[in-house]
Coordinates of all heavy atoms in Angstrom, one line a residue:
H29 N -15.7 4.8 25.2 CA -15.2 3.8 24.2 C -15.0 4.5 22.9 O -15.7 5.4 22.6 CB -16.0 2.6 24.2 CG -17.4 2.8 23.6 ND1 -17.7 3.1 22.3 CD2 -18.6 2.8 24.2 CE1 -19.0 3.2 22.1 NE2 -19.6 3.0 23.3
P30 N -14.1 4.0 22.0 CA -13.9 4.6 20.7 C -15.1 4.3 19.8 O -16.0 3.5 20.1 CB -12.6 4.0 20.2 CG -12.6 2.7 20.9 CD -13.2 2.9 22.3
C31 N -15.1 4.9 18.6 CA -16.1 4.6 17.6 C -16.0 3.1 17.2 O -14.9 2.6 17.1 CB -15.9 5.5 16.4 SG -16.0 7.2 16.8
R32 N -17.1 2.5 17.0 CA -17.1 1.0 16.7 C -17.8 0.8 15.3 O -18.9 1.3 15.1 CB -17.8 0.2 17.8 CG -17.3 0.4 19.2 CD -17.4 -0.8 20.0 NE -17.3 -0.7 21.4 CZ -16.1 -0.6 22.1 NH1 -15.0 -0.7 21.4 NH2 -16.1 -0.5 23.4
L33 N -17.1 0.0 14.5 CA -17.6 -0.3 13.2 C -18.1 -1.7 13.1 O -17.5 -2.6 13.6 CB -16.5 -0.1 12.1 CG -16.9 -0.3 10.7 CD1 -17.8 0.8 10.2 CD2 -15.7 -0.4 9.8
F34 N -19.4 -1.9 12.6 CA -20.0 -3.2 12.5 C -20.4 -3.4 11.0 O -20.6 -2.4 10.2 CB -21.3 -3.2 13.3 CG -21.1 -3.0 14.8 CD1 -21.0 -1.8 15.4 CD2 -21.0 -4.1 15.6 CE1 -20.8 -1.6 16.7 CE2 -20.8 -4.0 17.0 CZ -20.7 -2.7 17.5
T35 N -20.6 -4.6 10.6 CA -21.2 -4.9 9.3 C -22.7 -4.6 9.4 O -23.3 -4.4 10.5 CB -21.1 -6.3 8.9 OG1 -21.8 -7.2 9.8 CG2 -19.6 -6.8 9.0
K36 N -23.4 -4.6 8.3 CA -24.8 -4.3 8.3 C -25.6 -5.5 9.0 O -26.8 -5.3 9.3 CB -25.3 -4.1 6.9 CG -26.7 -3.4 6.7 CD -26.5 -1.9 6.9 CE -27.8 -1.2 6.4 NZ -27.8 -1.1 5.0
K37 N -25.0 -6.6 9.2 CA -25.6 -7.7 9.9 C -25.3 -7.7 11.4 O -25.8 -8.5 12.1 CB -25.1 -9.0 9.3 CG -25.5 -9.3 7.9 CD -25.0 -10.6 7.4 CE -25.4 -10.9 5.9 NZ -24.9 -12.2 5.5
G38 N -24.6 -6.6 11.8 CA -24.4 -6.5 13.3 C -23.1 -7.1 13.8 O -22.8 -7.0 15.0
E39 N -22.2 -7.6 12.9 CA -21.0 -8.2 13.3 C -19.9 -7.1 13.5 O -19.7 -6.3 12.7 CB -20.5 -9.2 12.2 CG -21.5 -10.4 12.0 CD -21.3 -11.1 10.7 OE1 -20.5 -10.5 9.8 OE2 -21.8 -12.2 10.5
F40 N -19.2 -7.2 14.6 CA -18.2 -6.2 15.0 C -17.0 -6.4 14.0 O -16.5 -7.5 13.8 CB -17.7 -6.4 16.4 CG -16.6 -5.5 16.8 CD1 -16.9 -4.1 16.8 CD2 -15.4 -6.0 17.2 CE1 -15.8 -3.2 17.2 CE2 -14.4 -5.1 17.7 CZ -14.6 -3.7 17.6
V41 N -16.5 -5.2 13.5 CA -15.4 -5.2 12.6 C -14.1 -4.7 13.3 O -13.1 -5.4 13.4 CB -15.6 -4.3 11.3 CG1 -14.4 -4.3 10.4 CG2 -16.9 -4.9 10.6
T42 N -14.2 -3.5 13.8 CA -13.0 -2.9 14.5 C -13.4 -1.6 15.1 O -14.4 -1.0 14.9 CB -11.9 -2.7 13.4 OG1 -10.7 -2.3 14.1 CG2 -12.2 -1.6 12.5
N43 N -12.5 -1.1 16.0 CA -12.6 0.2 16.5 C -12.0 1.2 15.5 O -11.1 0.9 14.8 CB -11.9 0.4 17.9 CG -12.5 -0.4 19.0 OD1 -13.7 -0.5 19.1 ND2 -11.7 -0.9 19.9
I44 N -12.6 2.4 15.5 CA -12.1 3.5 14.6 C -11.5 4.6 15.5 O -12.3 5.3 16.2 CB -13.2 4.0 13.7 CG1 -13.8 2.9 12.9 CG2 -12.7 5.1 12.9 CD1 -12.9 2.2 11.9
G45 N -10.2 4.7 15.5 CA -9.6 5.7 16.4 C -9.5 5.2 17.8 O -9.8 4.1 18.1
A46 N -9.2 6.2 18.7 CA -9.1 5.8 20.2 C -9.4 7.0 21.0 O -9.3 8.2 20.6 CB -7.7 5.3 20.4
I47 N -9.9 6.8 22.3 CA -10.1 7.8 23.2 C -8.8 8.3 23.8 O -7.9 7.5 24.1 CB -11.0 7.3 24.4 CG1 -12.3 6.8 23.9 CG2 -11.2 8.4 25.4 CD1 -13.2 7.8 23.3
G48 N -8.6 9.6 23.8 CA -7.3 10.2 24.3 C -7.1 11.6 23.8 O -8.0 12.2 23.1
Q49 N -5.9 12.1 24.0 CA -5.5 13.4 23.6 C -4.3 13.4 22.6 O -3.8 14.5 22.3 CB -5.2 14.3 24.8 CG -6.5 14.5 25.7 CD -6.2 15.3 26.9 OE1 -5.0 15.5 27.3 NE2 -7.2 15.8 27.6
G50 N -3.9 12.3 22.2 CA -2.8 12.2 21.3 C -3.2 12.4 19.8 O -4.4 12.7 19.5
P51 N -2.3 12.3 18.9 CA -2.6 12.5 17.5 C -3.6 11.5 17.0 O -3.5 10.3 17.2 CB -1.2 12.2 16.8 CG -0.2 12.5 17.8 CD -0.8 12.1 19.1
G52 N -4.7 12.0 16.4 CA -5.7 11.1 15.9 C -6.7 10.5 16.9 O -7.6 9.7 16.6
E53 N -6.5 11.0 18.2 CA -7.4 10.5 19.3 C -8.4 11.6 19.6 O -8.2 12.8 19.2 CB -6.5 10.2 20.5 CG -5.6 9.0 20.3 CD -4.8 8.7 21.5 OE1 -4.6 9.6 22.4 OE2 -4.3 7.6 21.6
Y54 N -9.4 11.3 20.3 CA -10.5 12.2 20.6 C -11.2 11.8 21.9 O -11.1 10.7 22.4 CB -11.6 12.1 19.4 CG -11.9 10.7 19.1 CD1 -12.9 10.0 19.8 CD2 -11.4 10.1 18.0 CE1 -13.2 8.7 19.5 CE2 -11.7 8.7 17.6 CZ -12.6 8.1 18.4 OH -12.9 6.8 18.1
R55 N -11.8 12.8 22.5 CA -12.6 12.6 23.7 C -14.0 12.1 23.3 O -14.6 11.2 23.9 CB -12.7 13.8 24.5 CG -13.5 13.6 25.8 CD -13.7 14.9 26.5 NE -14.6 14.7 27.7 CZ -15.3 15.7 28.3 NH1 -15.2 16.9 27.8 NH2 -16.0 15.4 29.3
A56 N -14.6 12.7 22.3 CA -15.9 12.4 21.8 C -16.0 12.8 20.3 O -15.2 13.7 19.9 CB -17.0 13.0 22.6
V57 N -17.0 12.3 19.6 CA -17.2 12.6 18.2 C -18.6 13.2 18.0 O -19.6 12.6 18.5 CB -17.0 11.3 17.3 CG1 -17.5 11.6 15.9 CG2 -15.6 10.9 17.4
Y58 N -18.7 14.3 17.4 CA -19.9 15.0 17.2 C -20.7 14.5 16.0 O -21.9 14.3 16.0 CB -19.7 16.5 17.1 CG -21.0 17.3 17.1 CD1 -21.8 17.4 18.2 CD2 -21.4 18.1 16.0 CE1 -23.0 18.1 18.3 CE2 -22.6 18.8 16.0 CZ -23.4 18.8 17.1 OH -24.6 19.5 17.2
K59 N -20.0 14.3 14.8 CA -20.6 13.8 13.6 C -19.6 12.9 12.9 O -18.4 13.0 13.1 CB -21.0 15.0 12.7 CG -22.2 15.8 13.2 CD -23.5 15.1 13.4 CE -24.5 15.9 14.0 NZ -25.8 15.2 14.3
A60 N -20.2 12.0 12.1 CA -19.4 11.0 11.4 C -20.0 10.7 10.1 O -21.2 10.9 9.9 CB -19.2 9.8 12.2
E61 N -19.2 10.2 9.1 CA -19.7 9.8 7.8 C -18.9 8.6 7.3 O -17.6 8.6 7.5 CB -19.6 11.0 6.9 CG -20.1 10.8 5.5 CD -20.0 12.1 4.6 OE1 -20.5 13.1 5.1 OE2 -19.5 12.0 3.5
I62 N -19.6 7.7 6.7 CA -18.9 6.5 6.1 C -18.9 6.7 4.6 O -20.0 7.0 4.0 CB -19.7 5.2 6.4 CG1 -19.8 5.0 7.9 CG2 -18.9 4.0 5.8 CD1 -20.6 3.8 8.3
D63 N -17.8 6.6 3.9 CA -17.6 6.7 2.5 C -17.1 5.4 2.0 O -15.8 5.2 1.8 CB -16.7 7.9 2.2 CG -16.6 8.1 0.6 OD1 -17.1 7.3 -0.1 OD2 -15.8 9.0 0.3
E64 N -17.9 4.4 1.6 CA -17.5 3.1 1.2 C -16.8 3.2 -0.2 O -15.8 2.5 -0.4 CB -18.6 2.1 1.1 CG -19.2 1.7 2.4 CD -20.2 0.5 2.2 OE1 -19.9 -0.4 1.4 OE2 -21.2 0.5 2.9
K65 N -17.2 4.1 -1.0 CA -16.6 4.3 -2.4 C -15.1 4.6 -2.3 O -14.3 4.0 -3.1 CB -17.3 5.4 -3.1 CG -16.7 5.7 -4.5 CD -17.5 6.8 -5.2 CE -16.8 7.2 -6.5 NZ -17.5 8.3 -7.2
H66 N -14.7 5.4 -1.3 CA -13.3 5.8 -1.2 C -12.7 5.1 0.0 O -11.6 5.5 0.4 CB -13.2 7.3 -1.1 CG -13.7 8.0 -2.3 ND1 -15.0 8.5 -2.4 CD2 -13.1 8.3 -3.5 CE1 -15.2 9.1 -3.6 NE2 -14.0 9.0 -4.2
N67 N -13.3 4.1 0.6 CA -12.8 3.3 1.7 C -12.4 4.2 2.9 O -11.3 4.1 3.4 CB -11.6 2.5 1.2 CG -11.1 1.5 2.3 OD1 -11.9 0.9 3.0 ND2 -9.8 1.3 2.4
C68 N -13.3 5.2 3.2 CA -12.9 6.2 4.3 C -14.0 6.3 5.3 O -15.2 6.2 5.0 CB -12.6 7.5 3.6 SG -11.1 7.6 2.8
I69 N -13.6 6.6 6.5 CA -14.5 7.1 7.5 C -14.1 8.4 8.0 O -12.9 8.6 8.3 CB -14.6 6.1 8.7 CG1 -15.3 4.8 8.3 CG2 -15.3 6.7 9.9 CD1 -15.2 3.7 9.3
Y70 N -15.0 9.4 8.1 CA -14.7 10.8 8.5 C -15.3 11.0 9.9 O -16.5 10.8 10.1 CB -15.2 11.8 7.5 CG -14.7 11.5 6.1 CD1 -15.5 10.8 5.2 CD2 -13.5 12.0 5.7 CE1 -15.0 10.6 3.9 CE2 -13.0 11.8 4.4 CZ -13.8 11.1 3.5 OH -13.3 10.9 2.2
L71 N -14.5 11.6 10.8 CA -15.0 11.9 12.2 C -14.7 13.4 12.5 O -13.6 13.9 12.3 CB -14.2 11.1 13.2 CG -14.2 9.5 13.1 CD1 -13.5 8.9 14.3 CD2 -15.7 9.0 13.0
M72 N -15.8 14.0 12.9 CA -15.7 15.4 13.4 C -15.7 15.4 14.9 O -16.7 15.1 15.6 CB -16.9 16.3 12.9 CG -16.9 17.7 13.5 SD -15.7 18.8 12.8 CE -16.5 19.2 11.2
P73 N -14.5 15.6 15.6 CA -14.4 15.6 17.0 C -15.3 16.6 17.7 O -15.6 17.7 17.1 CB -13.0 15.8 17.3 CG -12.3 15.3 16.1 CD -13.2 15.7 15.0
F74 N -15.7 16.4 18.9 CA -16.6 17.3 19.6 C -15.7 18.4 20.3 O -14.7 18.0 21.0 CB -17.4 16.5 20.7 CG -18.2 17.4 21.6 CD1 -19.3 18.0 21.2 CD2 -17.7 17.6 22.9 CE1 -20.1 18.8 22.1 CE2 -18.4 18.4 23.8 CZ -19.6 19.0 23.4
A75 N -16.1 19.6 20.2 CA -15.5 20.8 20.9 C -14.1 21.1 20.5 O -13.2 20.4 20.6 CB -15.6 20.5 22.4
N76 N -14.0 22.3 19.9 CA -12.7 22.9 19.6 C -11.9 22.1 18.7 O -10.7 21.9 18.9 CB -12.0 23.3 20.8 CG -12.7 24.3 21.7 OD1 -13.3 25.2 21.3 ND2 -12.7 24.0 23.0

């Protein structure tokens, strides 16, 4: 399943990206970071 974003209260917000091999898609994510100040989420895909 893709990365899932929740509020700090546990409420589901949305999926971030998608599983696949197309542009912006990934098989798995090794590391991630949330940057609320700049309204961004950064994902480092796993392997190559």
Side-chain angles (χ1 to χ4, degrees):
H29 65 71
C31 303
R32 305 212 196 276
L33 185 67
F34 299 83
T35 70
K36 199 75 166 286
K37 295 181 179 180
E39 300 161 345
F40 179 62
V41 178
T42 188
N43 289 327
I44 304 297
I47 301 294
Q49 297 181 343
E53 296 179 337
Y54 47 81
R55 182 187 175 202
V57 171
Y58 188 66
K59 292 297 176 185
E61 184 177 310
I62 304 172
D63 181 359
E64 288 191 40
K65 177 182 176 182
H66 298 93
N67 190 38
C68 287
I69 290 174
Y70 304 95
L71 304 183
M72 174 74 79
F74 172 78
N76 301 317

